[in-house]
Amino acid sequence: FVAAAGSVVCLLTVLAAPNPAPTARGLVDDAPSASTKVPTALSAFVEVLGDIYHVSRLSHVGSMLLTKLLTDFGVSILLALLPVILTKAYGASTATAGLVFSFLGIVGGVVNGLLIRPITRRFKATTIMQTSVAGLSLLYFTMGYTTRVWHFALLLAPMYLCGALVATMSTTVLTLLAPPESLGTVLALEMAFQPLLGIVSPIIGGSVLD
């Protein structure tokens, strides 16, 4: 239910986002001049913090990064605690839990190999984002009321599809929204979310279960 509430917030954010159009990007000369000073570790860290603050205030870039973070947060907690959820909440045996994970692996192969490309080529980025985040919200709420393990397992398939679409299209939208000089910082910040959530999600999820 916490993940569902976060997805609702993401949906409101995505609904307010514009439909980005490709922009022409010129080549930027990054070659350092002879007078360029080598930054110290502290000054480099302060500069990175300044860059993060700057990109978070760019029009719609900060809200899209927040959407990406909240969406990944819900999915990360669910996947990190999936074995515990299957055994404690549904009383699944070890063999049944293994079958659920195998099913999730098959779903991942089908989604990434067969479904992502035709969907992203047919529909606009903002339409996919809005539909996927709305789907995640509905799926999280529905999962909270399931009583059988196979009901829960079947809901994992559309959840994986929606999550994969959000992950793919958020990168596309950020690439189009970010100005050329901030694109590297924006994409690096987006990629940093997953390792961070890999550390934080199991801790928060375990605390909630206890």
Side-chain angles (χ1 to χ4, degrees), residues 70-150:
L70 291 177
T71 303
D72 287 352
F73 180 67
V75 174
S76 297
I77 287 183
L78 180 61
L79 294 180
L81 299 180
L82 188 56
V84 181
I85 293 173
L86 291 174
T87 54
K88 283 192 174 183
Y90 298 99
S93 63
T94 305
T96 302
L99 289 175
V100 172
F101 276 98
S102 297
F103 171 72
L104 189 58
I106 295 173
V107 169
V110 172
V111 167
N112 294 320
L114 300 177
L115 298 181
I116 293 293
R117 183 178 180 183
I119 292 175
T120 54
R121 294 182 66 180
R122 183 177 179 85
F123 302 100
K124 294 189 299 184
T126 50
T127 301
I128 295 175
M129 287 284 293
Q130 292 166 2
T131 305
S132 298
V133 174
L136 282 174
S137 303
L138 179 61
L139 287 166
Y140 286 140
F141 277 118
T142 306
M143 283 179 173
Y145 290 102
T146 55
T147 57
R148 296 182 181 275
V149 65
W150 65 273

Side-chain angles (χ1 to χ4, degrees), residues 2 4 25 59-60 63 68 78 86-87 100 109 113 122 137 139 153 155 158 167 187 190 193:
V2 174
R25 301 188 183 276
S59 179
H60 298 293
S63 61
K68 171 74 172 177
L78 180 61
L86 291 174
T87 54
V100 172
R122 183 177 179 85
S137 303
L139 287 166
L155 292 175
L187 295 181
E190 182 200 15
F193 287 160

Side-chain angles (χ1 to χ4, degrees), residues 133-202:
V133 174
L136 282 174
S137 303
L138 179 61
L139 287 166
Y140 286 140
F141 277 118
T142 306
M143 283 179 173
Y145 290 102
T146 55
T147 57
R148 296 182 181 275
V149 65
W150 65 273
H151 293 160
F152 180 82
L154 289 177
L155 292 175
L156 288 175
M159 187 212 73
Y160 190 101
L161 173 61
C162 292
L165 287 172
V166 170
T168 301
M169 299 317 299
S170 61
T171 302
T172 301
V173 172
L174 285 171
T175 302
L176 297 175
L177 289 176
E181 65 274 10
S182 301
L183 181 59
T185 303
V186 170
L187 295 181
L189 184 59
E190 182 200 15
M191 288 187 292
F193 287 160
Q194 198 60 43
L196 175 63
L197 291 175
I199 299 172
V200 175
S201 297

Side-chain angles (χ1 to χ4, degrees), residues 33-39:
S33 62
S35 60
T36 302
K37 295 182 179 180
V38 178

